[in-house]
Amino acid sequence: MTLRSLMQAGPAKANDLFAKLSETSDGAVKTREKLFAELKAELEFHTSLEEQHLFPVLRRNPETKELVAEAIRDNKELRAKVAELDATAKNDPAFAERLSDLQKLFRQHARDDRKELLPAVQRALSEEQVQGVTEKMEAGIAEAEQAKQDEAEERRAKARQEREQAELLARQAELREQEAAKAERDQAAAEQRVQAKSRQIADAALKPVAAAAKAVDQVARQTTAALGADAGRKQPSALALTNMFMFPWLGAMQGAERNSPVKPRGVSGTEEVIPLGEEVLEVGKRTENRGTVRIRRFVVETPVERQVTLQSERVVVERRRPVSDAVTGETLTELTVEIVETEELPTVEKRLRLREEIVVRTERTQRVETVKETLRHDEVEIQQPSRKRGSQHLRAVPSED
């Protein structure tokens, strides 16, 4: 890929985002925010790519030094327009007008790069320098693409983690529902067993009563037959005798059955187990990604001027009349005198020193958070017959915790 194609790829993508933004309405706030965020990132990446890799090479060349200063001023103006548009509400009617101004400024910036900057680069720089700048810009683009892929992968991983967490909670809720349904079925089955045993006990208890009633009825019929019709009319009927003998038994049994909300248990020696359950609060912890802090170091070049005092020595030759005509030195011989002229020139050296350090670390803090929930548990109420003689009432005994 050539330097020209690299520098034209950024404006092409930005123009596409400009067109999509221009087609949105004031009511499409979410769409405008998404597209503007992409446009802002693209413009910043395009200008930073030039400032990091192209401008330092052009600044060292006298022919392109002035172009670099103008390009930096254009980039500052472009960033100011982007910041102004970023501060504008996306449903503001002035958004479209300011977006149009930003688009015009960016198109002028791209035209200057294409008509002035690129031809100057091709004239002033050698093929090796252009190739070096191209390779650096390609590496920067590849690094940015990799960063986007990493960020997208991180978002997908976070979404996958949230989806798995939701599925886990759904499975836990389903298991709880299944356990609750099973508990209800077990309780209904236990109640049916209790009712069946109660009916068996009641049937077993009524068999002697029925036998006694039958015997009394037979005795009554035999007595009636022996005494005759008149005597039979004076004697109580078989039904009256049966009611007289069996009424206390039947009344007591019916009263006990009527007052007791629980059916009688089985015969002596049997037992029934009633499970009592309770809910226990279990509070766990999970780690969520709250965002990524990205720190990028980049080089900023600042023009610096210094004044230095320079000295120069030049040979001055002048002819003058001697004060006296007396010969004081050697004359009439060949003589050569050499005097060196000197001139101080500025020398520039750059020394790298450590200006400051950026320390990046994570700090862990703790907080106590109160979790409120309502727990349920089973209680049991026991009713036993009163110990008073002759009383068939039941009394309730509260369960012990």
Side-chain angles (χ1 to χ4, degrees), residues 77-107:
E77 185 178 2
L78 186 65
R79 287 191 175 100
K81 287 289 186 181
V82 171
E84 180 183 1
L85 189 60
D86 191 12
T88 305
K90 302 306 177 285
N91 56 355
D92 193 337
F95 180 85
E97 182 180 357
R98 294 177 182 176
L99 178 65
S100 178
D101 295 340
L102 176 61
Q103 186 176 8
K104 292 178 182 178
L105 180 62
F106 178 72
R107 287 178 176 175

Side-chain angles (χ1 to χ4, degrees), residues 281-337:
L281 182 63
E282 295 182 357
V283 181
K285 297 187 296 183
R286 61 187 177 94
T287 303
E288 290 186 354
N289 189 351
R290 294 298 186 184
T292 302
V293 178
R294 190 184 303 277
I295 300 175
R296 182 175 67 89
R297 185 183 67 184
F298 58 94
V299 179
V300 178
E301 296 189 354
T302 305
V304 179
E305 295 182 357
R306 295 288 187 273
Q307 293 184 350
V308 58
T309 302
L310 305 177
Q311 295 182 353
S312 61
E313 293 182 355
R314 301 191 180 276
V315 178
V316 179
V317 180
E318 63 180 38
R319 303 179 72 169
R320 66 184 181 183
R321 289 184 175 275
V323 179
S324 174
D325 58 357
V327 178
T328 58
E330 183 180 358
T331 59
L332 302 177
T333 59
E334 291 186 2
L335 177 65
T336 301
V337 178

Side-chain angles (χ1 to χ4, degrees), residues 36-51:
F36 179 74
E38 295 179 4
L39 176 62
K40 180 181 176 182
E42 183 63 30
L43 295 179
E44 179 61 30
F45 177 70
H46 177 71
T47 54
S48 299
L49 203 64
E50 292 180 344
E51 293 173 354

Side-chain angles (χ1 to χ4, degrees), residues 275-281 375-379:
L276 301 180
E278 65 176 356
E279 293 180 340
V280 180
L281 182 63
L375 301 181
R376 300 176 303 171
H377 67 278
D378 294 331
E379 289 287 351

